[in-house]
Amino acid sequence: MISHNACLGHDTGPDHPECARRLSAINDRFVMTGLADVLRHYDAPEVTRDQLLRVHTRSHIEHIESTLPAEGYVRLDPDTIMSSGSLAAARRAAGAVVKAVDLVMAGDVESAFCCVRPPGHHAESQRAMGFCLFSNIAVGVAHALREHDLQRVAVVDFDVHQGNGTEEIFRDEERVLFCSTFEHPFYPFTPLLGNAPNRVNVPLDARAGSTEFRAAISEHWMPALRQFEPEMIFVSAGFDAHRDDDMSHVSLTDADYRWVSEQIVEAASLSAGNRIISALEGGYELHSLARCVEMHVRVLMGLH
Ligand SMILES: [Zn+2]
């Protein structure tokens, strides 16, 4: 478990769904259930500029830095808000995934969960978007490719919103397989790219539930993962397709999140030496978020 108190200092203003209480709810749940006692906890370091520059343009990074308000709020787009603590939080959120890669590659842990905010999967190489400032997962993937010389890495994204940022950044990167399920048509409303050898997009109808979600994973993600044989699997872990979460229309259950986590563990056991790095994306109904993150982490740890 990799996190940092700075992630609580990203203040998005009153009534914003992507709020610090999300992390508090997860932490409280981990303590209450005893999971906190069996996890190894690590502080997330700040991401370095060089690590960010592997996936973001200099102008994007400088825009975030120069727009940071000393007080009050700045709106980068209708949904994406920065306060004085936002840059520190974003640096720790991306740094967490880098740290996770180093820990897993060193063999210190088999898998890691980055309990961080702001989320990352909508941030593109040149712009912040949809609550996301930096692409946390992409920064970690680029680190794994560059510093650890991995040749095949998969990113699986079960957030209810399509991971347009991850997709854009690795669109032409053959070493990265991107698998995503998402409600469609829906935010981010970016053009839906067709499938390719390194891309498996599985749109879900707004009325979709467990059956459609599980079919998407079984029939599309799993064959692609078996064929690609990733050496490491990254997870954009968003829990906003839960039926209790009114951010979307898709209605998954706690059991679906357990099931998809088990599928990812299965895929990682085949080619990736069980190496899984998961980072929090969405999930805004605090009770279902906390329950499903706990379950997800238990499955990654082999605790059931
Ligand atoms: Zn989402």
Side-chain angles (χ1 to χ4, degrees):
M1 164 104 156
I2 307 172
S3 192
H4 197 279
N5 279 338
C7 292
L8 300 172
H10 170 48
D11 177 7
T12 49
D15 304 323
H16 196 290
E18 203 294 284
C19 59
R21 284 179 296 132
R22 300 175 63 232
L23 296 192
S24 308
I26 294 168
N27 275 314
D28 289 352
R29 175 94 193 170
F30 281 19
V31 170
M32 191 178 76
T33 59
L35 184 57
D37 298 331
V38 293
L39 279 167
R40 272 198 243 165
H41 296 261
Y42 296 88
D43 264 351
E46 287 197 331
V47 72
T48 68
R49 174 166 282 240
D50 284 346
Q51 288 163 352
L52 285 177
L53 279 168
R54 291 173 183 152
V55 304
H56 291 295
T57 59
R58 189 172 300 277
S59 64
H60 171 63
I61 299 165
E62 289 174 354
H63 176 63
I64 298 290
E65 290 169 349
S66 63
T67 312
L68 187 78
E71 57 183 44
Y73 304 101
V74 167
R75 213 171 267 275
L76 296 170
D77 73 13
D79 311 307
T80 312
I81 294 170
M82 282 203 302
S83 61
S84 60
S86 297
L87 181 58
R91 284 181 175 145
R92 298 286 179 176
V97 189
V98 172
K99 172 87 174 175
V101 171
D102 289 338
L103 286 170
V104 169
M105 291 308 297
D108 292 349
V109 295
E110 246 179 18
S111 56
F113 180 70
C114 303
C115 195
V116 293
R117 56 184 290 275
H121 74 151
H122 294 306
E124 298 185 346
S125 56
Q126 304 188 55
R127 62 170 172 169
M129 186 175 162
F131 312 165
C132 305
L133 303 182
F134 299 135
S135 182
N136 306 325
I137 283 279
V139 169
V141 168
H143 185 72
L145 298 177
R146 178 74 65 88
E147 295 298 326
H148 297 284
D149 204 27
L150 296 190
Q151 296 302 310
R152 293 180 313 284
V153 167
V155 180
V156 299
D157 185 333
F158 57 72
D159 190 279
V160 81
H161 304 97
Q162 205 259 350
N164 60 291
T166 315
E167 180 180 88
E168 184 259 343
I169 288 165
F170 296 121
R171 184 176 173 164
D172 300 316
E173 174 54 80
E174 293 175 354
R175 292 175 294 174
V176 180
L177 170 68
F178 178 63
C179 298
S180 183
T181 56
F182 47 91
E183 182 173 334
H184 181 79
F186 201 43
Y187 190 88
F189 300 111
T190 42
L192 189 57
L193 300 179
N195 290 342
N198 70 338
R199 182 171 58 240
V200 180
N201 273 324
V202 193
L204 299 172
D205 187 90
R207 291 161 298 184
S210 302
T211 306
E212 295 80 5
F213 176 71
R214 294 187 186 207
I217 306 299
S218 298
E219 294 167 18
H220 299 279
W221 283 20
M222 295 303 279
L225 288 166
R226 278 194 291 271
Q227 182 166 7
F228 189 75
E229 299 186 325
E231 299 163 287
M232 179 177 274
I233 299 181
F234 289 77
V235 187
S236 268
F239 299 86
D240 41 7
H242 196 284
R243 65 182 176 189
D244 292 347
D245 197 315
D246 61 12
M247 187 63 84
S248 76
H249 309 96
V250 173
S251 48
L252 302 188
T253 64
D254 291 26
D256 293 322
Y257 287 107
R258 178 199 296 270
W259 179 84
V260 71
S261 304
E262 289 168 349
Q263 300 303 302
I264 295 165
V265 166
E266 162 78 15
S269 74
L270 296 177
S271 63
N274 302 317
R275 294 193 284 241
I276 297 173
I277 291 172
S278 178
L280 183 65
E281 301 282 3
Y284 305 98
E285 198 285 312
L286 300 182
H287 301 285
S288 56
L289 172 68
R291 286 196 313 272
C292 292
V293 169
E294 183 215 343
M295 195 179 301
H296 176 65
V297 171
R298 281 188 189 277
V299 171
L300 296 194
M301 295 175 74
L303 306 169
H304 290 262

